[in-house]
């Protein structure tokens, strides 16, 4: 991997498993709307494109009134941001990998479609905030992934050219955003992918986050 000068990570499904907290918040909202509850597998199929899309998918799947979507998104965020890190956990190998990358002095960023406030709460609650030089949330800019703007914003703040960066994500929008930004992309095979991993277009697939550090170290040595 020539001249790697920064790594950008997605959050949900890549660094952290947030599905239970998202499910719980969605179900509180659905209960208030007198709609049926959704299970963990259902919510996992809805995660990844930001809070408005998650709420839209959940309300649509349960027969709710989509004409009230903006109000429902505001209410969902109130519910979720009050308990965004209750059950959320870092995936195996994440802490060790981030620590190893910091020892290599590689700048790190998070670019996520999750709202910024909830992102910071989760990173701080899990002891991950200090690893990242830059955090771009889903409401930091008008655009969200798969638009390349959030990645460009992170790279600008890092002072790194696209060709010297790597994106790590779990879903098609991560790879699409990276490609559109001129950044290489790896995809993890866990998380909340809405498509088969082989169809994401990633340069490489990794089964656990622990695989990343040896790849970076080996490629830097060649």
């Amino acid at each position: 991997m020539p001249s790697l000068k920064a790594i950008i990570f997605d959050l949900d499904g890549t660094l952290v498993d947030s599905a239970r907290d998202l499910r719980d918040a969605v179900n509180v909202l659905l209960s208030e709307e007198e709609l049926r509850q959704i299970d963990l597998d259902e919510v996992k199929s809805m995660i990844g494109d930001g809070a408005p899309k998650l709420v839209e998918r959940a309300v649509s799947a349960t027969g709710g009134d989509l004409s009230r979507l903006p109000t429902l998104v505001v209410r969902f965020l109130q519910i979720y941001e009050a308990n965004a890190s209750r059950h959320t956990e870092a995936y195996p190998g994440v802490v060790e990998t981030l620590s190893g990358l910091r020892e290599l002095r590689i700048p790190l960023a998070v670019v996520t479609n999750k709202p910024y406030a909830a992102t910071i709460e989760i990173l701080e609650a899990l002891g991950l905030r200090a690893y990242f030089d830059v955090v771009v949330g889903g409401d930091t800019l008008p655009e969200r992934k798969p638009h390349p703007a959030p990645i460009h914003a992170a790279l600008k703040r890092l002072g790194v050219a696209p060709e010297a960066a790597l994106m790590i994500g779990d879903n098609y929008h991560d790879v699409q955003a990276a490609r559109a930004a001129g950044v290489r992309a790896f995809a993890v095979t866990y998380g909340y992918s809405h498509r088969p991993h082989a169809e994401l277009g990633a340069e490489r697939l990794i089964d656990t986050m622990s695989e990343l550090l040896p790849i970076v170290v080996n490629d830097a040595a060649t």
Side-chain angles (χ1 to χ4, degrees):
M1 188 178 302
S3 65
L4 180 63
K5 295 182 179 178
I7 300 178
I8 300 171
F9 292 89
D10 173 50
L11 185 67
D12 297 293
T14 301
L15 293 175
V16 305
D17 182 357
S18 54
R20 285 188 293 169
D21 282 321
L22 288 167
R23 176 203 60 193
D24 291 352
V26 167
N27 279 336
V28 170
L29 176 69
L30 294 176
S31 178
E32 290 179 355
E33 294 297 306
E34 299 184 348
L35 299 170
R36 72 168 178 86
Q37 304 287 276
I38 61 174
D39 63 26
L40 197 58
D41 286 338
E42 280 184 288
V43 81
K44 286 181 178 180
S45 74
M46 300 172 181
I47 296 171
D49 296 303
K53 185 59 68 173
L54 170 60
V55 174
E56 178 185 334
R57 289 167 175 160
V59 172
S60 177
T62 55
D65 181 5
L66 289 175
S67 70
R68 298 179 54 246
L69 185 61
T71 300
L72 296 177
V73 171
V74 170
R75 177 57 184 146
F76 167 77
L77 290 174
Q78 291 173 339
I79 298 165
Y80 178 62
E81 290 177 0
N83 293 286
S85 58
R86 178 179 293 177
H87 300 298
T88 295
E89 299 176 334
Y91 283 109
V94 164
V95 173
E96 296 82 359
T97 298
L98 295 177
S99 179
L101 292 171
R102 289 302 265 176
E103 288 181 9
L104 295 174
R105 299 189 177 183
I106 297 175
L108 306 177
V110 169
V111 174
T112 175
N113 284 340
K114 183 187 289 295
Y116 180 83
T119 298
I120 294 298
E121 178 186 336
I122 288 169
L123 292 175
E124 290 181 345
L126 299 182
L128 303 179
R129 177 66 184 94
Y131 291 112
F132 297 101
D133 303 278
V134 171
V135 177
V136 177
D139 51 358
T140 301
L141 302 172
E143 305 88 359
R144 295 192 298 269
K145 297 177 295 182
H147 198 285
I151 293 180
H152 282 147
L155 292 174
K156 183 177 181 179
R157 291 168 62 183
L158 291 170
V160 173
E163 60 270 18
L166 172 68
M167 175 79 195
I168 312 292
D170 70 310
N171 212 331
Y172 69 93
H173 59 243
D174 299 313
V175 178
Q176 287 184 351
R179 295 298 190 201
V183 172
R184 290 166 287 174
F186 287 5
V188 300
T189 58
Y190 53 88
Y192 316 129
S193 180
H194 300 166
R195 301 179 184 178
H197 296 104
E199 297 178 7
L200 297 182
E203 181 178 309
R204 188 163 186 165
L205 299 176
I206 56 176
D207 295 325
T208 68
M209 189 58 71
S210 299
E211 295 177 29
L212 179 62
L213 186 59
I215 294 170
V216 172
V217 170
N218 290 339
D219 286 350
T222 59

